[in-house]
Structure formats: structure tokens, C-alpha cells
Amino acid sequence: MKDYSEKRDFHRMQVNSKIEITNSKGEVFTGTCRDLSATGMQLFVDRPVAVGEELKTVLHPTGDAIPPLETVCEVLRCELEGDGFLIGTTINEVT
């Protein structure tokens, strides 16, 4: 029997890379993309973001061989963690 962490349809990839985020008001800020799957991302940021908020993100790769990953996401949860906020998103579109 699969344990809980294996019941996801898509596996998470640990990333821990800087990500550029634009909210629905056009404000641009940065955070850290902690993990990425085919359907969502977990982001760490320094400000709270409302559940349901649409975010545009740009995840820049560490090398030049791969283009940036640009997405439109929806915030599913935002939880206080240490000196920032942990945001769970679902990816609605890869642009």
C-alpha cells in the first residue's frame, strides 16, 4: 500500500529557487519556489497573499539551456511560517 506522500497524481520536485511574482494589482515581488509539480507550486514569500488571488510567476533556471517557466497560478492557501508566508498554488496556465 502507498503511504500518504505517494498518493499524489504528480510528484513534487524540490526547487528552492528565486521566483518573480506579480499579483492582480500589478505589484511585483520575489519569493522562493520551494517545490514544483505538474499542477502546482509551493512558494515562500515575505507578505501574506489572499486565498483565491491570481498570481503570475516567472521561475528563472540556473543555466541558459532552459527557458524561464512562466505561469498563472491561483493561491489555495497561505500560512504563516517563521518570518514569512508559505503559499500553496495550483497552476492554471503555463504561458
Side-chain angles (χ1 to χ4, degrees):
M1 176 180 267
K2 291 182 178 182
D3 68 27
Y4 181 76
S5 66
E6 295 175 351
K7 290 184 180 180
R8 296 184 168 274
D9 289 334
F10 298 98
H11 291 284
R12 290 182 178 187
M13 178 174 60
Q14 298 301 308
V15 179
N16 288 319
S17 295
K18 183 178 172 183
I19 190 164
E20 183 180 298
I21 304 163
T22 305
N23 67 17
S24 59
K25 296 175 187 173
E27 299 168 330
V28 179
F29 56 102
T30 59
T32 302
C33 179
R34 289 202 175 162
D35 66 47
L36 174 67
S37 77
T39 59
M41 290 187 282
Q42 186 179 74
L43 310 175
F44 184 77
V45 296
D46 64 357
R47 64 177 77 181
V49 180
V51 171
E53 175 90 19
E54 183 177 271
L55 303 175
K56 294 181 181 177
T57 67
V58 180
L59 181 63
H60 295 279
T62 55
D64 294 333
I66 302 170
L69 174 64
E70 298 184 30
T71 70
V72 176
C73 300
E74 180 182 342
V75 176
L76 300 177
R77 69 182 178 285
C78 180
E79 303 166 348
L80 182 63
E81 182 178 286
D83 61 348
F85 296 87
L86 196 58
I87 299 172
T89 70
T90 184
I91 297 173
N92 293 332
E93 181 182 348
V94 176
T95 57

